[in-house]
Amino acid sequence: MFPTDRPRRLRTDELRPLVSETTLETTDLIAPVFVDATTDERVPIESMPGHERVPLSAAAERVAEVRETGVEAVILFGIPASKDGHGSRAFAADGVVQEATRRITAETDATVITDVCLCEYTDHGHCGVIEADAREDPTLTVRNDETLELLRKTAVSHAEAGADVVAPSSMTDGMVTAIREGLDDAGHDDVGILSYAAKYESSFYGPFRDAADGAPAFGDRRHYQMDPANAREARREVRLDDQAGADVLMVKPALPYLDVVAATRRETDRPVAAYNVSGEYAMLHAAAESGWLDLDATAHEALLSIKRAGADLIVTYFAERVAERL
Ligand code: PBG
């Protein structure tokens, strides 16, 4: 007790590094990259300063830029040339993510993770096959078990193109089991699964939905993504994906859900990832733009906090910027 116990003793410049509990390293970071089949030029994303939708022809160049900052892994999102009811461009052998993966693995040493979802590929913008009358009746939604087949095909097509890890983000029940079976049957038992295990129906995805053109055309995602009110349910989701064999378990978003990141860390011995989403990125940029926050200091502190909560890996739009300053 005070006056004998004085925590400040350890806060000198000499001792602080010795007792530091958490570190942030470039190898903890995964950078999102958007590849757009509808453009021939690199197009800046207005709501996500510093990020672009790049054409296929620039995909490898874009990833090489990421690698130059020391960040080794990217997660690819695709904007397809066309959309339909079943999101068939998501699992086309010559789809945008498949082509980008081929080029990136041929021209760089990056670790390639691919987002596996249908919302950027369906004309209705939902993350799977929808009920016939869903447009008229908001109580109807994505048909779970039919969607599994499409996710499996998508994941296998990414693996065939050379993806190291596939990352299902659709919150379809059984998605990890279906994808693991599909990958193994196709001889891709070495391809890992990073599951968006606890993904919330969050308002923090706004800028991403502009960037990837993946907003639902009607309704919302509350019938498949998690209710922000629930934390115990996240533990259950994490246990299910752990048992199904997901190699890495992810929580999304990150900062408003650090309690869930910490609970996930306690729930599993597998690596835990957190997705510092587009809204979290936009928030800091907007405040910095107004001169209200220091962007580099707050970005670093935000990512360090996500690690302190228990994440091993962070998907973040700050990856390059923070890595350059580490
Ligand atoms: C696809 C997907 C989304 C994000 C990642 N994968 C959008 C969504 O679920 O609406 C959001 C990422 C972000 O906001 O940075 N399902």
Side-chain angles (χ1 to χ4, degrees):
M1 244 183 301
F2 186 81
T4 42
D5 213 345
R6 292 176 180 268
R8 283 183 54 175
R9 257 181 225 130
L10 298 177
R11 294 184 195 142
T12 63
D13 287 341
E14 290 86 355
L15 295 178
R16 257 168 56 106
L18 283 175
V19 298
S20 167
E21 299 175 30
T22 312
T23 55
L24 184 63
E25 292 168 56
T26 54
T27 49
D28 302 328
L29 307 176
I30 301 167
V33 167
F34 297 94
V35 186
D36 187 346
T38 69
T39 179
D40 298 327
E41 289 163 38
R42 297 174 64 142
V43 184
I45 302 168
E46 212 174 306
S47 51
M48 296 168 70
H51 284 272
E52 298 172 335
R53 291 154 72 135
V54 303
L56 261 173
S57 57
E61 173 190 319
R62 173 77 195 96
V63 171
E65 290 165 10
V66 171
R67 296 271 303 172
E68 246 157 61
T69 67
V71 173
E72 294 177 3
V74 294
I75 182 164
L76 300 184
F77 294 94
I79 295 104
S82 63
K83 307 191 186 217
D84 58 30
H86 281 70
S88 57
R89 297 304 297 167
F91 42 88
D94 61 350
V96 60
V97 166
Q98 292 80 355
E99 287 291 347
T101 300
R102 278 189 206 100
R103 291 172 188 228
I104 293 164
T105 51
E107 293 174 40
T108 77
D109 292 326
T111 299
V112 175
I113 305 171
T114 55
D115 187 79
V116 174
C117 197
L118 296 167
C119 56
E120 293 118 74
Y121 303 87
T122 52
D123 51 15
H124 46 71
H126 280 284
C127 305
V129 186
I130 54 170
E131 308 269 1
D133 302 327
R135 275 171 209 274
E136 286 74 45
D137 182 350
T139 62
L140 296 175
T141 182
V142 168
R143 299 171 83 112
N144 192 84
D145 296 14
E146 282 173 43
T147 299
L148 289 176
E149 187 47 36
L150 304 187
L151 295 172
R152 185 197 334 243
K153 287 206 280 192
T154 303
V156 170
S157 71
H158 291 178
E160 313 263 82
D164 298 295
V165 174
V166 294
S169 66
S170 56
M171 290 302 278
T172 316
D173 290 340
M175 66 187 187
V176 174
T177 304
I179 289 173
R180 186 71 270 158
E181 275 176 17
L183 291 173
D184 291 354
D185 286 351
H188 297 293
D189 47 32
D190 55 338
V191 172
I193 300 176
L194 184 164
S195 177
Y196 289 68
K199 176 173 176 181
Y200 285 86
E201 203 262 324
S202 169
S203 300
F204 286 93
Y205 305 151
F208 173 94
R209 290 182 186 174
D210 296 338
D213 193 22
F218 58 89
D220 54 43
R221 305 208 204 283
R222 70 184 188 281
H223 294 138
Y224 43 104
Q225 298 182 346
M226 284 184 59
D227 183 345
N230 295 355
R232 291 192 302 268
E233 186 190 354
R235 303 211 319 255
R236 194 161 149 251
E237 283 280 10
V238 164
R239 279 199 301 275
L240 286 169
D241 282 4
D242 188 332
Q243 286 158 4
D247 300 282
V248 182
L249 298 159
M250 187 148 76
V251 174
K252 177 180 171 193
L255 293 175
Y257 295 85
L258 290 183
D259 59 324
V260 179
V261 174
T264 301
R265 175 68 293 157
R266 292 190 295 271
E267 200 64 42
T268 179
D269 290 328
R270 296 186 191 268
V272 172
Y275 198 136
N276 178 228
V277 302
S278 57
E280 300 172 52
Y281 179 78
M283 257 184 338
L284 293 191
H285 266 278
E289 192 114 316
S290 299
W292 298 338
L293 287 176
D294 177 325
L295 187 61
D296 288 317
T298 50
H300 186 274
E301 184 178 336
L303 299 188
L304 190 68
S305 299
I306 295 167
K307 287 215 61 197
R308 193 192 60 236
D312 304 296
L313 301 169
I314 308 172
V315 179
T316 177
Y317 304 97
F318 286 117
E320 290 162 272
R321 186 174 180 115
V322 168
E324 275 174 337
R325 287 160 179 82
L326 282 176

